[in-house]
Coordinates of all heavy atoms in Angstrom, one line a residue:
M35 N 6.6 -28.6 50.9 CA 6.1 -29.2 52.1 C 5.1 -28.2 52.7 O 5.4 -27.0 52.8 CB 7.3 -29.5 53.0 CG 6.7 -30.0 54.4 SD 8.0 -30.1 55.7 CE 8.7 -28.4 55.7
V36 N 4.1 -28.8 53.3 CA 3.1 -28.0 54.0 C 3.1 -28.3 55.4 O 3.1 -29.5 55.8 CB 1.6 -28.3 53.4 CG1 0.6 -27.5 54.3 CG2 1.5 -27.8 52.0
V37 N 3.3 -27.4 56.3 CA 3.2 -27.6 57.7 C 1.9 -27.1 58.2 O 1.6 -25.9 58.1 CB 4.4 -26.8 58.5 CG1 4.2 -27.0 59.9 CG2 5.7 -27.3 58.0
C38 N 1.1 -28.0 58.7 CA -0.2 -27.6 59.2 C -0.1 -27.3 60.7 O 0.4 -28.1 61.4 CB -1.3 -28.7 59.0 SG -1.9 -28.7 57.3
V39 N -0.6 -26.1 61.1 CA -0.6 -25.7 62.4 C -2.0 -25.9 63.0 O -2.9 -25.3 62.4 CB -0.1 -24.3 62.6 CG1 -0.1 -23.8 64.0 CG2 1.2 -24.1 61.9
I40 N -2.2 -26.6 64.0 CA -3.6 -26.9 64.5 C -3.6 -26.6 66.0 O -2.6 -26.5 66.7 CB -4.0 -28.3 64.2 CG1 -3.1 -29.3 65.0 CG2 -4.0 -28.6 62.8 CD1 -3.7 -30.7 65.0
A41 N -4.8 -26.6 66.5 CA -5.1 -26.5 68.0 C -4.7 -27.8 68.6 O -5.0 -28.9 68.0 CB -6.5 -26.1 68.2
L42 N -4.2 -27.8 69.8 CA -3.8 -29.0 70.5 C -4.9 -30.0 70.7 O -6.0 -29.6 71.1 CB -3.1 -28.7 71.8 CG -2.4 -29.8 72.5 CD1 -1.3 -30.4 71.7 CD2 -1.7 -29.2 73.8
G43 N -4.6 -31.3 70.5 CA -5.6 -32.3 70.8 C -4.8 -33.7 70.8 O -3.7 -33.8 70.5
C44 N -5.5 -34.7 71.3 CA -4.9 -36.0 71.3 C -5.9 -37.1 71.1 O -7.1 -36.9 71.3 CB -4.1 -36.2 72.6 SG -5.1 -36.0 74.1
G45 N -5.4 -38.3 70.7 CA -6.3 -39.4 70.6 C -7.5 -39.2 69.6 O -7.3 -38.6 68.6
D46 N -8.7 -39.6 70.0 CA -9.9 -39.5 69.2 C -10.2 -38.0 69.0 O -10.9 -37.7 68.0 CB -11.0 -40.2 69.9 CG -10.9 -41.7 69.9 OD1 -10.1 -42.2 69.0 OD2 -11.5 -42.3 70.8
D47 N -9.7 -37.1 69.9 CA -10.0 -35.7 69.7 C -9.3 -35.1 68.6 O -9.6 -34.0 68.1 CB -9.7 -34.9 71.0 CG -10.6 -35.3 72.2 OD1 -11.7 -35.7 71.9 OD2 -10.1 -35.2 73.3
D48 N -8.2 -35.8 68.0 CA -7.4 -35.2 66.9 C -8.3 -34.9 65.7 O -8.1 -33.9 65.1 CB -6.3 -36.2 66.5 CG -5.1 -36.1 67.4 OD1 -5.0 -35.2 68.2 OD2 -4.3 -37.0 67.2
V49 N -9.3 -35.7 65.4 CA -10.2 -35.5 64.3 C -10.9 -34.2 64.5 O -10.9 -33.3 63.6 CB -11.1 -36.7 64.1 CG1 -12.2 -36.3 63.0 CG2 -10.4 -37.9 63.7
E50 N -11.5 -34.0 65.6 CA -12.2 -32.7 65.9 C -11.3 -31.5 65.9 O -11.6 -30.5 65.3 CB -13.0 -32.8 67.2 CG -13.8 -31.6 67.5 CD -14.6 -31.7 68.8 OE1 -14.8 -32.9 69.3 OE2 -15.0 -30.7 69.4
V51 N -10.1 -31.7 66.5 CA -9.1 -30.6 66.6 C -8.7 -30.2 65.2 O -8.6 -29.1 64.9 CB -7.9 -31.1 67.5 CG1 -6.8 -30.1 67.3 CG2 -8.4 -31.2 68.9
C52 N -8.4 -31.2 64.3 CA -8.0 -30.9 63.0 C -9.1 -30.2 62.2 O -8.8 -29.3 61.4 CB -7.5 -32.2 62.3 SG -6.0 -32.9 62.9
T53 N -10.3 -30.7 62.4 CA -11.4 -30.1 61.7 C -11.5 -28.6 62.0 O -11.6 -27.7 61.1 CB -12.7 -30.8 62.0 OG1 -12.6 -32.1 61.6 CG2 -13.9 -30.1 61.3
K54 N -11.5 -28.3 63.3 CA -11.7 -26.9 63.7 C -10.5 -26.0 63.3 O -10.6 -24.9 62.8 CB -11.9 -26.8 65.2 CG -13.2 -27.3 65.7 CD -13.3 -27.2 67.2 CE -14.7 -27.8 67.6 NZ -14.8 -27.7 69.1
A55 N -9.3 -26.6 63.5 CA -8.1 -25.8 63.2 C -8.0 -25.5 61.7 O -7.5 -24.5 61.3 CB -6.9 -26.6 63.7
C56 N -8.3 -26.5 60.9 CA -8.2 -26.3 59.5 C -9.1 -25.2 59.0 O -8.8 -24.6 58.0 CB -8.4 -27.6 58.7 SG -6.9 -28.7 58.9
E57 N -10.2 -25.0 59.6 CA -11.1 -23.9 59.3 C -10.3 -22.6 59.4 O -10.4 -21.7 58.5 CB -12.3 -23.9 60.2 CG -13.3 -25.0 59.9 CD -14.4 -25.1 60.9 OE1 -14.5 -24.2 61.8 OE2 -15.2 -26.0 60.8
H58 N -9.5 -22.5 60.4 CA -8.7 -21.3 60.6 C -7.5 -21.2 59.6 O -7.2 -20.1 59.1 CB -8.1 -21.2 62.1 CG -9.2 -21.1 63.1 ND1 -9.9 -19.9 63.3 CD2 -9.7 -22.0 64.0 CE1 -10.8 -20.1 64.3 NE2 -10.6 -21.4 64.7
L59 N -6.9 -22.4 59.4 CA -5.8 -22.4 58.4 C -6.2 -22.0 57.0 O -5.6 -21.2 56.4 CB -5.2 -23.8 58.4 CG -4.4 -24.3 59.6 CD1 -4.1 -25.8 59.5 CD2 -3.1 -23.5 59.7
V60 N -7.4 -22.5 56.6 CA -7.9 -22.2 55.3 C -8.2 -20.7 55.2 O -8.0 -20.0 54.3 CB -9.0 -23.1 54.9 CG1 -9.7 -22.6 53.6 CG2 -8.6 -24.6 54.7
A61 N -8.8 -20.2 56.3 CA -9.2 -18.8 56.4 C -8.0 -17.9 56.4 O -8.2 -16.7 55.9 CB -10.1 -18.6 57.6
A62 N -6.9 -18.3 56.9 CA -5.7 -17.4 56.9 C -5.3 -17.1 55.4 O -4.6 -16.1 55.2 CB -4.5 -18.1 57.6
N63 N -5.7 -17.9 54.5 CA -5.5 -17.6 53.0 C -4.0 -17.4 52.6 O -3.7 -16.6 51.8 CB -6.3 -16.4 52.6 CG -6.6 -16.4 51.1 OD1 -6.6 -17.5 50.5 ND2 -6.8 -15.2 50.6
C64 N -3.1 -18.1 53.3 CA -1.7 -18.1 52.9 C -1.6 -19.0 51.6 O -2.3 -20.0 51.5 CB -0.8 -18.7 54.0 SG -1.0 -17.8 55.5
S65 N -0.6 -18.6 50.7 CA -0.6 -19.4 49.5 C 0.0 -20.8 49.6 O -0.3 -21.6 48.8 CB 0.3 -18.6 48.5 OG 1.6 -18.5 48.9
V66 N 0.7 -21.1 50.7 CA 1.3 -22.4 50.9 C 0.5 -23.2 51.9 O 1.0 -23.7 52.9 CB 2.8 -22.4 51.3 CG1 3.4 -23.7 51.3 CG2 3.5 -21.4 50.3
V67 N -0.8 -23.3 51.7 CA -1.7 -24.0 52.7 C -2.7 -24.8 51.8 O -3.1 -24.3 50.8 CB -2.5 -23.0 53.5 CG1 -3.5 -23.7 54.4 CG2 -1.5 -22.2 54.4
P68 N -3.0 -26.0 52.2 CA -4.0 -26.7 51.5 C -5.3 -25.9 51.3 O -5.8 -25.3 52.3 CB -4.3 -28.0 52.3 CG -3.1 -28.1 53.2 CD -2.5 -26.7 53.4
I69 N -5.8 -25.8 50.1 CA -6.9 -25.0 49.8 C -8.2 -25.6 50.3 O -9.1 -25.0 50.8 CB -7.0 -24.6 48.3 CG1 -5.8 -23.8 47.9 CG2 -8.3 -23.9 48.0 CD1 -5.7 -23.5 46.5
E70 N -8.3 -27.0 50.2 CA -9.5 -27.7 50.6 C -9.4 -28.1 52.1 O -8.3 -28.6 52.5 CB -9.6 -28.9 49.7 CG -9.8 -28.6 48.3 CD -11.1 -27.9 48.0 OE1 -12.1 -28.2 48.6 OE2 -11.1 -27.0 47.1
Q71 N -10.5 -28.0 52.8 CA -10.6 -28.4 54.2 C -10.1 -29.9 54.3 O -9.4 -30.2 55.2 CB -12.0 -28.2 54.6 CG -12.3 -28.6 56.1 CD -11.9 -27.6 57.1 OE1 -11.5 -26.5 56.8 NE2 -11.8 -28.1 58.4
S72 N -10.6 -30.8 53.4 CA -10.3 -32.2 53.6 C -8.8 -32.5 53.4 O -8.2 -33.3 54.1 CB -11.1 -33.0 52.6 OG -10.8 -32.6 51.2
E73 N -8.1 -31.7 52.5 CA -6.7 -31.9 52.4 C -5.9 -31.4 53.6 O -5.0 -32.1 54.1 CB -6.2 -31.1 51.1 CG -4.7 -31.3 50.9 CD -4.3 -30.5 49.6 OE1 -5.1 -29.9 48.9 OE2 -3.1 -30.5 49.4
C74 N -6.4 -30.3 54.2 CA -5.8 -29.8 55.4 C -5.9 -30.8 56.5 O -5.0 -31.1 57.3 CB -6.4 -28.5 55.8 SG -5.8 -27.7 57.3
E75 N -7.1 -31.4 56.7 CA -7.4 -32.3 57.7 C -6.5 -33.6 57.6 O -6.0 -34.1 58.6 CB -8.9 -32.7 57.8 CG -9.7 -31.6 58.3 CD -11.2 -31.9 58.2 OE1 -11.6 -33.0 58.1 OE2 -12.0 -30.9 58.2
A76 N -6.3 -34.0 56.4 CA -5.5 -35.2 56.1 C -4.0 -34.9 56.5 O -3.4 -35.7 57.2 CB -5.6 -35.7 54.7
D77 N -3.5 -33.7 56.1 CA -2.2 -33.3 56.5 C -2.0 -33.2 58.0 O -1.0 -33.6 58.6 CB -1.8 -32.0 55.8 CG -1.5 -32.1 54.4 OD1 -1.4 -33.3 53.8 OD2 -1.5 -31.1 53.7
C78 N -3.0 -32.6 58.6 CA -3.0 -32.5 60.1 C -3.0 -33.8 60.8 O -2.1 -34.0 61.7 CB -4.3 -31.7 60.5 SG -4.6 -31.6 62.3
S79 N -3.8 -34.7 60.4 CA -3.8 -36.1 61.0 C -2.5 -36.8 60.8 O -2.0 -37.5 61.7 CB -5.0 -36.9 60.4 OG -6.2 -36.3 60.7
S80 N -1.9 -36.7 59.6 CA -0.6 -37.3 59.3 C 0.5 -36.7 60.3 O 1.3 -37.5 60.8 CB -0.3 -37.1 57.9 OG 1.0 -37.6 57.6
T81 N 0.5 -35.4 60.4 CA 1.5 -34.8 61.3 C 1.3 -35.3 62.7 O 2.2 -35.6 63.4 CB 1.4 -33.3 61.2 OG1 1.6 -32.8 59.9 CG2 2.3 -32.6 62.2
R82 N 0.0 -35.3 63.2 CA -0.2 -35.7 64.6 C 0.1 -37.2 64.8 O 0.5 -37.5 65.9 CB -1.7 -35.6 64.9 CG -2.3 -34.2 64.7 CD -1.9 -33.2 65.7 NE -2.3 -33.6 67.1 CZ -1.6 -33.2 68.1 NH1 -0.6 -32.4 68.0 NH2 -2.0 -33.6 69.3
A83 N 0.1 -38.0 63.8 CA 0.4 -39.5 63.9 C 1.8 -39.8 63.7 O 2.3 -40.9 64.0 CB -0.5 -40.3 63.0
G84 N 2.6 -38.8 63.2 CA 4.0 -39.1 62.9 C 5.0 -38.9 64.0 O 4.7 -38.6 65.1
P85 N 6.3 -38.9 63.7 CA 7.4 -38.8 64.6 C 7.6 -37.4 65.1 O 8.4 -37.2 66.1 CB 8.6 -39.3 63.9 CG 8.3 -39.0 62.4 CD 6.8 -39.3 62.3
C86 N 6.9 -36.4 64.6 CA 7.1 -35.0 65.0 C 6.0 -34.5 65.9 O 5.8 -33.3 66.0 CB 7.3 -34.2 63.7 SG 8.6 -34.6 62.7
R87 N 5.3 -35.4 66.5 CA 4.2 -35.0 67.3 C 4.6 -34.1 68.5 O 4.0 -33.1 68.8 CB 3.4 -36.2 67.9 CG 2.2 -35.8 68.7 CD 1.4 -37.0 69.2 NE 0.2 -36.5 69.9 CZ -1.0 -36.6 69.5 NH1 -1.3 -37.2 68.3 NH2 -2.0 -36.2 70.2
D88 N 5.8 -34.4 69.1 CA 6.3 -33.5 70.2 C 6.5 -32.1 69.7 O 6.2 -31.1 70.4 CB 7.5 -34.1 70.8 CG 7.3 -35.4 71.6 OD1 6.1 -35.7 72.0 OD2 8.3 -36.1 71.9
E89 N 7.1 -31.9 68.6 CA 7.4 -30.6 68.0 C 6.1 -29.9 67.7 O 5.9 -28.7 67.9 CB 8.3 -30.7 66.8 CG 9.7 -31.1 67.1 CD 10.0 -32.6 67.3 OE1 9.0 -33.4 67.2 OE2 11.1 -32.9 67.5
H90 N 5.1 -30.7 67.2 CA 3.8 -30.1 66.8 C 3.1 -29.7 68.1 O 2.6 -28.6 68.1 CB 3.0 -31.2 66.1 CG 1.9 -30.7 65.3 ND1 0.6 -31.0 65.6 CD2 1.8 -29.9 64.3 CE1 -0.2 -30.4 64.8 NE2 0.5 -29.7 64.0
D91 N 3.2 -30.5 69.2 CA 2.6 -30.1 70.4 C 3.2 -28.9 71.0 O 2.5 -28.0 71.5 CB 2.7 -31.3 71.5 CG 1.7 -32.4 71.2 OD1 0.8 -32.3 70.4 OD2 2.0 -33.5 71.8
A92 N 4.5 -28.7 70.9 CA 5.2 -27.5 71.4 C 4.7 -26.3 70.6 O 4.5 -25.2 71.3 CB 6.7 -27.7 71.2
L93 N 4.5 -26.4 69.3 CA 4.0 -25.3 68.6 C 2.6 -24.9 69.0 O 2.3 -23.7 69.2 CB 4.1 -25.6 67.1 CG 3.5 -24.5 66.1 CD1 4.2 -23.2 66.3 CD2 3.5 -25.1 64.7
L94 N 1.8 -25.9 69.2 CA 0.4 -25.6 69.6 C 0.3 -25.1 71.0 O -0.5 -24.2 71.2 CB -0.4 -26.9 69.5 CG -0.4 -27.6 68.1 CD1 -1.1 -28.9 68.1 CD2 -1.0 -26.7 67.1
S95 N 1.1 -25.6 71.9 CA 1.2 -25.1 73.2 C 1.6 -23.6 73.3 O 1.0 -22.8 74.0 CB 2.1 -25.9 74.1 OG 1.6 -27.2 74.3
C96 N 2.5 -23.3 72.4 CA 3.0 -21.9 72.3 C 1.8 -20.9 71.9 O 1.7 -19.8 72.4 CB 4.1 -21.8 71.3 SG 4.7 -20.1 71.0
G97 N 1.0 -21.4 71.1 CA -0.2 -20.6 70.6 C -1.2 -20.3 71.6 O -2.0 -19.4 71.6
G98 N -1.3 -21.2 72.7 CA -2.3 -21.0 73.7 C -3.7 -21.3 73.3 O -3.9 -21.9 72.2
D99 N -4.7 -20.8 74.0 CA -6.1 -21.0 73.8 C -6.6 -20.2 72.6 O -7.6 -20.6 72.0 CB -6.9 -20.7 75.0 CG -6.6 -21.7 76.1 OD1 -6.2 -22.8 75.9 OD2 -6.8 -21.3 77.3
E100 N -6.0 -19.1 72.3 CA -6.5 -18.3 71.2 C -5.3 -18.0 70.2 O -4.8 -16.8 70.1 CB -7.0 -16.9 71.7 CG -8.3 -17.1 72.6 CD -9.5 -17.5 71.8 OE1 -9.6 -17.2 70.6 OE2 -10.3 -18.2 72.4
P101 N -4.8 -19.0 69.5 CA -3.7 -18.7 68.6 C -4.0 -17.8 67.5 O -5.1 -17.8 67.0 CB -3.3 -20.1 68.1 CG -4.6 -20.9 68.2 CD -5.3 -20.3 69.4
D102 N -3.0 -17.0 67.1 CA -3.2 -16.0 66.0 C -2.5 -16.6 64.8 O -1.3 -16.5 64.7 CB -2.5 -14.7 66.4 CG -2.7 -13.6 65.4 OD1 -3.5 -13.7 64.5 OD2 -1.9 -12.6 65.5
Y103 N -3.3 -17.2 63.9 CA -2.8 -17.8 62.7 C -2.4 -16.6 61.7 O -3.3 -15.8 61.4 CB -3.8 -18.7 62.0 CG -4.1 -19.9 62.8 CD1 -5.0 -19.9 63.8 CD2 -3.3 -21.1 62.6 CE1 -5.3 -21.1 64.6 CE2 -3.6 -22.2 63.3 CZ -4.5 -22.2 64.3 OH -4.8 -23.4 65.0
V104 N -1.2 -16.6 61.2 CA -0.7 -15.6 60.3 C 0.1 -16.3 59.1 O 0.6 -17.4 59.3 CB 0.2 -14.6 61.0 CG1 -0.7 -13.8 62.0 CG2 1.4 -15.2 61.6
C105 N 0.3 -15.5 58.1 CA 1.2 -16.0 57.0 C 2.6 -15.5 57.3 O 2.8 -14.3 57.6 CB 0.7 -15.4 55.7 SG -0.9 -15.8 55.2
N106 N 3.6 -16.4 57.3 CA 5.0 -16.1 57.5 C 5.6 -15.5 56.2 O 4.9 -15.5 55.2 CB 5.7 -17.3 58.1 CG 5.9 -18.4 57.2 OD1 5.8 -18.3 55.9 ND2 6.3 -19.6 57.7
P107 N 6.9 -15.1 56.3 CA 7.5 -14.6 55.1 C 7.5 -15.5 53.9 O 7.6 -15.1 52.7 CB 8.9 -14.2 55.5 CG 8.8 -14.0 57.0 CD 7.7 -15.0 57.4
N108 N 7.4 -16.8 54.1 CA 7.3 -17.8 53.0 C 5.9 -18.0 52.6 O 5.7 -18.9 51.7 CB 8.0 -19.1 53.4 CG 9.4 -19.0 53.7 OD1 10.1 -18.2 53.1 ND2 9.9 -19.7 54.7
D109 N 5.0 -17.3 53.1 CA 3.5 -17.4 52.9 C 3.0 -18.8 53.3 O 2.0 -19.2 52.7 CB 3.2 -17.0 51.4 CG 1.8 -16.4 51.3 OD1 1.4 -15.8 52.3 OD2 1.2 -16.5 50.3
S110 N 3.6 -19.4 54.3 CA 3.0 -20.6 54.9 C 2.3 -20.1 56.2 O 2.7 -19.1 56.8 CB 4.1 -21.6 55.3 OG 4.7 -22.1 54.2
V111 N 1.3 -20.8 56.6 CA 0.6 -20.4 57.9 C 1.4 -20.8 59.1 O 2.0 -21.9 59.1 CB -0.8 -20.9 57.9 CG1 -0.8 -22.4 58.1 CG2 -1.6 -20.3 59.0
T112 N 1.5 -20.0 60.1 CA 2.1 -20.3 61.4 C 1.3 -19.5 62.5 O 0.3 -18.9 62.2 CB 3.6 -19.8 61.3 OG1 4.2 -20.3 62.5 CG2 3.8 -18.3 61.3
I113 N 1.8 -19.7 63.7 CA 1.2 -19.0 64.8 C 2.1 -17.9 65.2 O 3.3 -18.1 65.5 CB 0.9 -20.0 66.0 CG1 0.0 -21.1 65.6 CG2 0.4 -19.2 67.2 CD1 -0.2 -22.2 66.6
A114 N 1.5 -16.7 65.2 CA 2.3 -15.5 65.6 C 3.0 -15.7 67.0 O 2.4 -16.1 67.9 CB 1.4 -14.2 65.6
G115 N 4.3 -15.3 67.0 CA 5.1 -15.4 68.3 C 5.6 -16.8 68.5 O 6.3 -17.0 69.5
C116 N 5.4 -17.7 67.6 CA 5.9 -19.1 67.8 C 6.8 -19.5 66.7 O 6.8 -20.7 66.3 CB 4.7 -20.0 67.9 SG 3.5 -19.6 69.2
E117 N 7.6 -18.6 66.2 CA 8.5 -18.9 65.1 C 9.5 -20.0 65.4 O 9.8 -20.8 64.5 CB 9.2 -17.6 64.6 CG 8.2 -16.6 64.0 CD 7.4 -15.8 64.9 OE1 7.6 -15.8 66.2 OE2 6.4 -15.2 64.5
S118 N 10.1 -20.0 66.6 CA 11.1 -21.0 66.8 C 10.5 -22.4 66.9 O 11.1 -23.4 66.4 CB 11.9 -20.7 68.1 OG 11.1 -20.7 69.2
E119 N 9.3 -22.5 67.4 CA 8.6 -23.8 67.5 C 8.2 -24.2 66.1 O 8.3 -25.4 65.8 CB 7.3 -23.7 68.4 CG 7.6 -23.5 69.9 CD 7.9 -22.1 70.3 OE1 8.0 -21.2 69.4 OE2 8.2 -21.9 71.5
Y120 N 7.8 -23.3 65.3 CA 7.4 -23.6 63.9 C 8.7 -24.1 63.1 O 8.6 -25.1 62.4 CB 6.9 -22.3 63.2 CG 6.7 -22.5 61.7 CD1 5.4 -23.0 61.2 CD2 7.6 -22.2 60.8 CE1 5.2 -23.2 59.9 CE2 7.4 -22.4 59.4 CZ 6.2 -22.9 59.0 OH 6.0 -23.0 57.6
D121 N 9.8 -23.4 63.3 CA 11.1 -23.9 62.7 C 11.5 -25.3 63.1 O 11.9 -26.1 62.3 CB 12.2 -22.9 63.0 CG 12.0 -21.5 62.3 OD1 11.2 -21.5 61.4 OD2 12.7 -20.6 62.7
A122 N 11.3 -25.6 64.4 CA 11.7 -26.9 64.9 C 10.8 -28.0 64.3 O 11.3 -29.1 63.9 CB 11.5 -27.0 66.5
L123 N 9.5 -27.7 64.1 CA 8.6 -28.6 63.5 C 9.0 -28.8 62.0 O 9.0 -30.0 61.5 CB 7.1 -28.2 63.6 CG 6.1 -29.0 62.9 CD1 6.1 -30.5 63.4 CD2 4.7 -28.4 63.1
T124 N 9.3 -27.8 61.4 CA 9.7 -27.8 60.0 C 11.0 -28.7 59.8 O 11.0 -29.5 58.9 CB 9.9 -26.4 59.4 OG1 8.7 -25.7 59.5 CG2 10.3 -26.5 57.9
V125 N 11.9 -28.5 60.6 CA 13.2 -29.3 60.6 C 12.8 -30.8 60.8 O 13.3 -31.6 60.1 CB 14.2 -28.8 61.6 CG1 15.3 -29.8 61.8 CG2 14.7 -27.4 61.2
C126 N 12.0 -31.1 61.8 CA 11.6 -32.4 62.1 C 10.9 -33.1 60.9 O 11.3 -34.2 60.5 CB 10.7 -32.5 63.3 SG 10.2 -34.2 63.8
L127 N 10.0 -32.4 60.3 CA 9.3 -32.9 59.2 C 10.2 -33.1 57.9 O 9.9 -34.0 57.1 CB 8.1 -32.0 58.8 CG 7.0 -32.0 59.8 CD1 6.0 -30.9 59.5 CD2 6.3 -33.3 60.0
D128 N 11.3 -32.4 57.9 CA 12.2 -32.5 56.7 C 13.2 -33.7 56.9 O 13.9 -34.1 56.0 CB 13.0 -31.2 56.5 CG 12.2 -30.2 55.8 OD1 11.1 -30.5 55.2 OD2 12.6 -29.0 55.9
E129 N 13.2 -34.2 58.1 CA 14.2 -35.3 58.4 C 13.7 -36.6 57.7 O 12.5 -36.9 57.6 CB 14.3 -35.6 59.9 CG 15.0 -34.4 60.6 CD 15.1 -34.6 62.1 OE1 14.6 -35.6 62.6 OE2 15.8 -33.8 62.7
P130 N 14.7 -37.4 57.2 CA 14.3 -38.6 56.5 C 13.7 -39.7 57.4 O 13.8 -39.7 58.5 CB 15.6 -39.1 55.8 CG 16.7 -38.4 56.5 CD 16.1 -37.2 57.2

């Protein structure tokens, strides 16, 4: 499973938010991240449209205006200092 971490956005702005954020995600160069920009954007849009949007928003809010994208111990990308929000999103995305 890939958890895409993006900058906060809503509605029509999601496309632009996903585009910009995925540039940072791909640049983080973690091994468990979509390598292609288009794949990242598709994952991002899916996450934003799904039942875990609240958890996703909480993670993004935690990161603030200048989130620090880093590779976590599993080599997935996350936002530094927002580990509990990342974990909550991961749990939500794993639910059937």
Side-chain angles (χ1 to χ4, degrees):
M35 174 189 56
V36 174
V37 176
C38 281
V39 182
I40 65 167
L42 188 57
C44 56
D46 293 336
D47 294 333
D48 280 350
V49 172
E50 182 178 341
V51 167
C52 287
T53 299
K54 289 180 181 178
C56 284
E57 291 172 2
H58 297 289
L59 288 169
V60 172
N63 202 30
C64 302
S65 66
V66 188
V67 174
I69 295 172
E70 298 295 324
Q71 178 80 12
S72 60
E73 184 181 354
C74 179
E75 290 175 19
D77 287 348
C78 170
S79 294
S80 177
T81 299
R82 303 286 303 151
C86 300
R87 185 179 180 109
D88 289 344
E89 289 81 359
H90 199 244
D91 285 345
L93 175 60
L94 303 176
S95 293
C96 175
D99 292 334
E100 297 290 330
D102 182 18
Y103 292 88
V104 296
C105 301
N106 68 18
N108 296 324
D109 212 26
S110 294
V111 69
T112 190
I113 299 175
C116 301
E117 290 76 13
S118 63
E119 291 83 358
Y120 174 87
D121 291 344
L123 176 58
T124 301
V125 167
C126 181
L127 291 170
D128 283 342
E129 291 177 355

